[in-house]
Amino acid sequence: TLSGEALALALEPKKDGKPVVIGRAQSDFDVNDATVSLKHLTLIYDGYRWTVGDLNSRNGSKLDGLRLGEKPEPLFNGAEISIGSVRLTYYLPNGMYERLTDTR
């Protein structure tokens, strides 16, 4: 089995259509880690897919190992997002089901 994943959350678009902001504090989803900026990352749903972009964070963000800029990049099943020293993994619903039922 895979290890190191402490939490799973459902990502839903905001009712007002604004981006979901991830940061250390004062954001839509707070990550209590000193390497994460107050407002670090933005997630945008365009009605079809989620995209991710950095908010000029101090320690930067990476998508599958490549540095993110402000320009939103599309998210795909299993995408690894690094914000500071924190790692997040994005799963589509079917990918999350596969992840949960993986018995390796």
Side-chain angles (χ1 to χ4, degrees):
T1 63
L2 297 175
S3 64
E5 294 176 347
L7 181 65
L9 301 168
L11 180 60
E12 295 184 12
K14 292 169 66 175
K15 291 182 182 180
D16 61 9
K18 292 183 180 179
V20 174
V21 176
I22 296 177
R24 190 175 69 245
Q26 305 167 4
S27 59
D28 298 308
F29 180 75
D30 293 343
V31 177
N32 186 11
D33 186 279
T35 65
V36 175
S37 295
L38 287 177
K39 296 194 183 306
H40 199 109
L41 191 76
T42 184
L43 295 161
I44 302 165
Y45 187 70
D46 66 7
Y48 173 69
R49 66 179 178 193
W50 285 95
T51 59
V52 61
D54 189 77
L55 291 172
N56 293 317
S57 63
R58 178 184 66 231
N59 291 318
S61 303
K62 291 181 179 179
L63 175 60
D64 292 329
L66 300 175
R67 189 155 179 100
L68 277 172
E70 288 182 63
K71 179 182 174 255
E73 298 291 337
L75 286 175
F76 298 96
N77 189 56
E80 290 189 12
I81 305 163
S82 299
I83 58 173
S85 63
V86 176
R87 184 180 62 105
L88 309 168
T89 306
Y90 173 80
Y91 292 105
L92 294 166
N94 62 336
M96 185 65 180
Y97 176 78
E98 289 173 12
R99 163 65 186 90
L100 291 172
T101 58
D102 184 4
T103 57
R104 287 185 279 163

